[in-house]
Amino acid sequence: MAEQTDIRTPEEAAPPEPARPAKPDSAVIRDALGVGIAVGLSGFAFGVTSAGAGLSVLQTCALSLLVFTGASQFALVGALAAGGNPLTAAAGAFFLGVRNAFYGLRLSAVLGYRATVRPFAAHWVIDETTAVTLAQPDRRSARLGFTATGLSLYALWNLTTLIGALGAEALGDTDAWGLDAASPAVFLALLAPMLRSTVERVAAGLAVLLVMTTLPLLPAGVPVLLSALAAPAVLVVQGRRARAGRTGNGTTHPADGSPGRPVTEEERA
């Protein structure tokens, strides 16, 4: 009997990946509200910190309504409170907020919103909504999780910002309460589980080291900008090590990605 040849492509021959089980709407909403309420209460800390830094109630509320990314807001008012240049403070807040653009690239494919809806949804693309959305098994649950998290967090964050800004005078010395550390602590708690690879952990550790060592030496806001250099520095070192590993096994690898060839004795010399 003649041997039969499988003419299917590798993609067709490979077994399909098992589908993730559907998630009840109630469970999605419960998780979304848990994140939205827990993080939304941090807006009180921002309101107090911002008012303590000299911003008016209107300016404080405008930041939460229009910027709506906690880490960037705290970075801005923290740099201003330390006497930093407004442009430097704004630049530090901007670079912290750039991560949301990369979140948006991923969520755009997951949520699949129409072009007319995307500009409005983009305002809610932050750490918390991204975490809840990507944890869902299908598009319908992802949209529900994104909407519930964004709506609850946006409403509560702005409400508690207003309350914090109005109540700052009653608290007295806001620095003594340490409320400016609330949002960064929440951000780190969300970020830590995402640091799964060695490269990610090293980049995060180097960024922290850069901030801690330059904070007493440089103007407010500048250490945050310098910490952004951690990621490209780690990637450069990783790339060099990878190239050294490929050439060290006796095989050359052209830059175009084509299969390598053995290194000749003349090339070794």
Side-chain angles (χ1 to χ4, degrees):
M1 182 177 180
E3 182 179 355
Q4 295 182 349
T5 302
D6 190 350
I7 61 173
R8 295 177 297 174
T9 63
E11 291 77 9
E12 294 172 336
E17 295 183 1
R20 296 169 64 184
K23 194 172 183 179
D25 290 351
S26 58
V28 177
I29 294 176
R30 180 193 62 215
D31 295 342
L33 291 180
V35 173
I37 294 173
V39 180
L41 293 174
S42 310
F44 178 80
F46 171 72
V48 172
T49 304
S50 180
L55 275 72
S56 66
V57 174
L58 180 60
Q59 290 171 327
T60 298
C61 292
L63 278 175
S64 285
L65 285 168
L66 302 177
V67 179
F68 188 53
T69 169
S72 297
Q73 293 176 232
F74 272 100
L76 176 63
V77 298
L80 293 176
N85 183 284
L87 293 178
T88 304
F94 170 79
F95 279 106
L96 276 177
V98 164
R99 70 187 187 280
N100 294 335
F102 295 98
Y103 294 160
L105 294 176
R106 180 71 179 94
L107 293 186
S108 177
V110 173
L111 297 172
Y113 285 138
R114 298 190 301 272
T116 54
V117 179
R118 289 178 185 176
F120 301 98
H123 194 51
W124 286 356
V125 176
I126 54 177
D127 304 293
E128 294 78 12
T129 55
T130 301
V132 173
T133 301
L134 296 182
Q136 307 311 317
D138 53 64
R139 174 167 291 181
R140 182 179 182 278
S141 298
R143 287 182 173 181
L144 180 60
F146 176 83
T147 303
T149 306
L151 180 60
S152 60
L153 181 51
Y154 188 74
L156 191 56
W157 177 270
N158 282 280
L159 175 62
T160 54
T161 293
L162 175 61
I163 296 174
L166 293 174
E169 294 184 1
L171 292 175
D173 183 10
T174 56
D175 292 339
W177 292 81
L179 295 176
D180 56 331
S183 184
V186 172
F187 175 72
L188 289 176
L190 290 168
L191 178 65
M194 301 180 185
L195 303 178
R196 298 174 182 175
S197 68
T198 302
V199 174
E200 293 169 344
R201 297 190 186 100
V202 172
L206 181 57
V208 172
L209 182 62
L210 285 172
V211 171
M212 297 302 294
T213 55
T214 58
L215 192 59
L217 306 174
L218 299 175
V222 177
V224 176
L225 298 177
L226 288 179
S227 67
L229 300 176
V234 172
L235 292 176
V236 167
V237 173
Q238 182 195 28
R240 289 181 177 177
R241 292 182 61 183
R243 287 194 296 271
R246 288 196 298 266
T247 57
N249 60 9
T251 303
T252 61
H253 293 264
D256 60 0
S258 58
R261 58 178 176 79
V263 179
T264 64
E265 292 298 331
E266 292 79 2
E267 290 174 332
R268 291 181 187 275

